Amino acid sequence: MSTNDLLLDRRNDGERPLSPTEERLEASSELDAKSSLEVLRLLNAEDRVAVEAVAAVLPELAELVDLAAERFRRGGTIHYFGAGTSGRLGVLDAAELLPTFNLEAGRVVAHIAGGPAALVNAVEDAEDSEAEGRLAAAGVGPDDVAIGLAASGNTPYVGGALAAARAAGARTALISSNPHAALAPLADVYLVLATGAEVLTGSTRLKAATAEKLVLNGFSTALMVAVGRTWSNLMVDVVATNDKLRLRTVRILEQATGLDRDAALEQLAAAGGELKTAIVAANGGLAVDEARRLLAAHGGAVRDALAAASH
């Protein structure tokens, strides 16, 4: 089946099983007769389903992380494509990587149907445009990874983007809560989150979105670990853009080296404010310039730089 056939077939809803996200949850059939506490308890109980759904796809998620890390190391870009809630979650994940991991702009890019306006206002019809999805993916290249985010697994915008990305030679993935997703054949890696019916029928901003957020948290964090943007469990690439983060930078240096506050401040100043350089210099007993050179030679990975210093 061709890509065009897949996207046309997506419209043939009458022959496809209903997505579990559109089914009714028996436990919430009397939702409007329940007290506020009962509603909240039911929502909380169903949220646990999202956690279990993510646990079930960890092998596939690890495959996606490893695939993305290999392409990222050679200069590739990770692209998220989504509409509505899924699109907003992709934008949130990509935006938070910049300060947390000192990630260069353009390495993890989020695309949302309807553009920036869709971040704060619903642009519901935007998700129906395959052409807009293809246009959004026009810059995707053969070293990139395109990840489609669609609870239904049928969103035309996402389908257009994945089809264009695949045609460009990129690797593709789909994250959905529908085991019968029409877009699954467009994905090299397919993560099916078994979140089932929502407490509020069809409201995929609930369990489906919670599971998707957990997957994105896991994917991007594990990716940053894999490419050397952390050391131990410390955010050694954090960008100190405010007082809270400046204090955190000093605290991380203390935790990483055992230095007291004054010594950590002195070491950080000597390294020109470069946290990773300060860590390698202090733990490796090296001059700042040598620490900086070793980091550059090992792709910025503190662990690898320290291993080289010990030889």
Side-chain angles (χ1 to χ4, degrees):
M1 183 179 285
S2 72
T3 295
N4 285 337
D5 289 337
L6 284 169
L7 295 177
L8 288 170
D9 186 57
R10 183 208 59 78
R11 297 193 185 96
N12 200 5
D13 291 335
E15 297 181 10
R16 287 193 174 279
L18 188 68
S19 171
T21 61
E22 298 300 321
E23 296 174 355
R24 295 185 69 182
L25 182 70
E26 184 176 353
S28 63
S29 61
E30 299 295 326
L31 189 66
D32 59 342
K34 297 181 183 296
S35 70
S36 295
L37 182 56
E38 288 173 328
V39 170
L40 292 171
R41 282 177 172 157
L42 180 55
L43 287 165
N44 182 248
E46 290 296 313
D47 283 342
R48 296 169 196 169
V49 174
V51 175
E52 293 303 316
V54 174
V57 300
L58 292 180
E60 292 86 354
L61 184 54
E63 179 186 353
L64 179 57
V65 170
D66 291 341
L67 181 158
E70 187 273 328
R71 298 218 159 191
F72 191 92
R73 290 189 193 99
R74 68 188 199 211
T77 297
I78 313 302
H79 295 266
Y80 297 146
F81 296 94
T85 300
S86 292
R88 294 182 192 105
L89 289 174
V91 171
L92 177 64
D93 191 73
E96 291 182 342
L97 298 182
L98 277 70
T100 304
F101 299 103
N102 195 20
L103 189 64
E104 303 85 353
R107 299 304 309 278
V108 177
V109 180
H111 310 264
I112 182 171
L119 290 173
V120 293
N121 293 297
V123 186
E124 299 296 353
D125 60 339
E127 70 177 63
D128 295 331
S129 175
E130 293 167 12
E132 184 180 338
R134 289 179 180 276
L135 183 62
V140 175
D143 286 337
D144 297 346
V145 177
I147 301 175
L149 308 172
S152 70
N154 302 325
T155 309
Y157 171 87
V158 174
L162 292 181
R166 172 166 278 187
R171 299 298 295 273
T172 59
L174 176 67
I175 300 169
S176 91
S177 289
N178 183 4
H180 310 294
L183 304 183
L186 294 174
D188 297 313
V189 182
Y190 179 28
L191 280 74
V192 184
L193 299 165
T195 52
E198 298 285 3
V199 171
L200 185 63
T201 306
S203 183
T204 53
R205 72 185 187 89
L206 299 176
K207 279 187 300 186
T210 297
E212 187 177 281
K213 179 66 166 68
L214 291 173
V215 166
L216 289 172
N217 282 352
F219 169 76
S220 57
T221 301
L223 174 63
M224 293 297 100
V225 171
V227 299
R229 297 286 176 140
T230 64
W231 182 64
S232 182
N233 60 352
L234 299 173
M235 293 190 294
V236 294
D237 254 318
V238 66
V239 181
T241 54
N242 56 40
D243 287 342
K244 180 188 74 174
L245 294 178
R246 280 185 280 273
L247 289 171
R248 179 178 292 169
T249 298
V250 177
R251 185 166 61 251
I252 290 172
L253 184 54
E254 293 176 69
Q255 293 168 331
T257 62
L259 295 173
D260 62 26
R261 176 58 58 91
D262 289 341
L265 286 167
E266 184 178 335
Q267 182 70 64
L268 193 60
E274 299 169 5
L275 178 56
K276 292 202 293 190
T277 299
I279 291 171
V280 172
N283 285 350
L286 304 171
V288 165
D289 287 346
E290 177 62 7
R292 193 175 284 126
R293 184 191 69 78
L294 285 174
L295 280 166
H298 292 86
V302 171
R303 185 172 298 277
D304 292 344
L306 285 172
S310 66
H311 290 113

